[in-house]
Amino acid sequence: MGTQIGKLGPIIASLWKGRNVYRAYNPFVRDANTPKQQLNRAIFKTVAQLAAILSAAINHGYAYAADQEQNIPRALFTHDNYHFFHASTPDSVSVDYPDLILARGSMHTPHFGTPSFVSPSRIVIPFDGTLIGAATDNDLICVTVYCPDTRECVFDKSAKRSDGSAVVDVPAHWSGKEVHLWGFAMANVDQPTFLPNLNGYIYPGQCSNSTYVGIGNIG
């Protein structure tokens, strides 16, 4: 039948990653605006908005998993985190920030220490550089800092596992504001690389699971 795009009877066809994808279409919607549907739409909107703000982190943290599962990073983020968003009314969506997952993978997750917020424009995050399993000294340590008040995010991957700490510069207008931090490791290789201590390979873009590093006020 060739490529199908558009409405075909009870389905809607589209192209995704070069393949035809089909979605069910319900022409007999009884009530499209029930209180439960309003809550679901409000939650989904908040998830989508936060995913857009955290896109730099999500696109790194879920890229490898998305390729393996033939999916897209934001879809995996939504699937993993939707139940961490809650609402009793459409305008009161809350987020369980400590539970959010920004990366998924089999690399070894560093153990992060307590962040230092002493500087008004810089955060220092210590971490344990011990090599366990899928880990190398050259792995990138990815840190995400999110400021709910300004709805802005800073993503930094300048530190390596051997450094023992990451230093993240944040905007000056964040001074005095509350921020949330997450961290994960990412393989810093450009081809499949065999690790004798692992007796296996690590791959470009492969990540660890993310972990919530903490909360604090800048400066």
Side-chain angles (χ1 to χ4, degrees):
M1 294 175 61
T3 301
Q4 297 103 51
I5 297 177
K7 189 173 180 297
L8 303 170
I11 64 172
I12 298 175
S14 61
L15 276 179
W16 177 71
K17 292 191 175 183
R19 296 175 297 173
N20 262 121
V21 176
Y22 301 93
R23 292 171 290 167
Y25 173 74
N26 179 15
F28 305 109
V29 179
R30 287 179 294 180
D31 185 351
N33 203 31
T34 64
K36 185 175 181 180
Q37 288 171 322
Q38 291 178 26
L39 288 180
N40 285 335
R41 280 196 290 270
I43 291 174
F44 189 82
K45 178 182 178 180
T46 303
V47 174
Q49 290 174 337
L50 186 58
I53 296 169
L54 302 177
S55 60
I58 294 169
N59 288 339
H60 282 82
Y62 276 101
Y64 184 80
D67 285 343
Q68 295 298 300
E69 299 176 28
Q70 296 186 324
N71 210 321
I72 56 178
R74 287 198 196 183
L76 294 185
F77 171 83
T78 300
H79 175 270
D80 288 351
N81 292 285
Y82 190 85
H83 55 291
F84 299 136
F85 293 73
H86 314 280
S88 55
T89 62
D91 57 353
S92 64
V93 180
S94 62
V95 184
D96 298 332
Y97 290 110
D99 296 320
L100 290 184
I101 302 168
L102 273 59
R104 179 151 45 91
S106 58
M107 296 289 290
H108 173 62
T109 305
H111 174 73
F112 291 90
T114 302
S116 171
F117 298 94
V118 176
S119 170
S121 60
R122 178 169 292 179
I123 306 172
V124 180
I125 308 102
F127 55 81
D128 184 354
T130 303
L131 302 182
I132 301 175
T136 74
D137 283 333
N138 206 39
D139 295 338
L140 302 179
I141 302 302
C142 304
V143 176
T144 304
V145 186
Y146 172 61
C147 180
D149 286 346
T150 65
R151 299 183 61 79
E152 295 174 312
C153 167
V154 171
F155 176 73
D156 182 274
K157 57 183 180 70
S158 59
K160 294 186 178 180
R161 198 186 289 265
S162 59
D163 293 338
S165 65
V167 179
V168 181
D169 292 325
V170 298
H173 64 269
W174 284 15
S175 180
K177 299 186 182 301
E178 183 180 87
V179 296
H180 297 271
L181 290 83
W182 297 264
F184 60 90
M186 182 171 66
N188 188 21
V189 296
D190 56 12
Q191 61 184 357
T193 302
F194 182 78
L195 299 185
N197 63 315
L198 177 66
N199 195 29
Y201 287 85
I202 59 173
Y203 299 89
Q206 187 175 350
C207 289
S208 72
N209 292 330
S210 65
T211 185
Y212 184 71
V213 177
I215 184 174
N217 292 320
I218 300 296

